[in-house]
Amino acid sequence: MSETWTFVCASGELLPGEMKTTFDEVTGTPIVVFNLDGDLYALEDQCTHEEFELSSGALDAVEGSIECVLHGARFDIRDGRALCAPAYTAVPKFPVKRDHGGVWTRDDRD
């Protein structure tokens, strides 16, 4: 588990309906951070169906979901749960915060 927060971007660089990717240097985890109507959410940037980055997919800001471009699996960006086949396992969700004018996240898994 990483106790170190990873800088994602300046707060103004992540507008509602947008996403940014980062890399937790401590755990080696790719993370994608979403701004959904001003609320921030962070998920592991990897589809649980097949190892492929979710950030390549389409963000549906109305539904609050991300679709993997590889096979069409969709995930709720608020909690990471799989919304349709071929994925059945949730994507790990991480804490995200605004601090010192920036957006920060970390891999908090044990």
Side-chain angles (χ1 to χ4, degrees), residues 6-17:
T6 299
F7 180 76
V8 180
C9 64
S11 292
E13 292 178 17
L14 184 58
L15 302 175

Side-chain angles (χ1 to χ4, degrees), residues 38-64:
D39 294 322
L40 300 179
Y41 302 94
L43 299 176
E44 184 170 7
D45 191 14
Q46 184 165 287
C47 180
T48 57
H49 167 248
E50 198 159 308
E51 293 183 5
F52 199 78
E53 68 271 359
L54 287 176
S55 57
S56 295
L59 170 63
D60 184 331
V62 174
E63 184 183 66

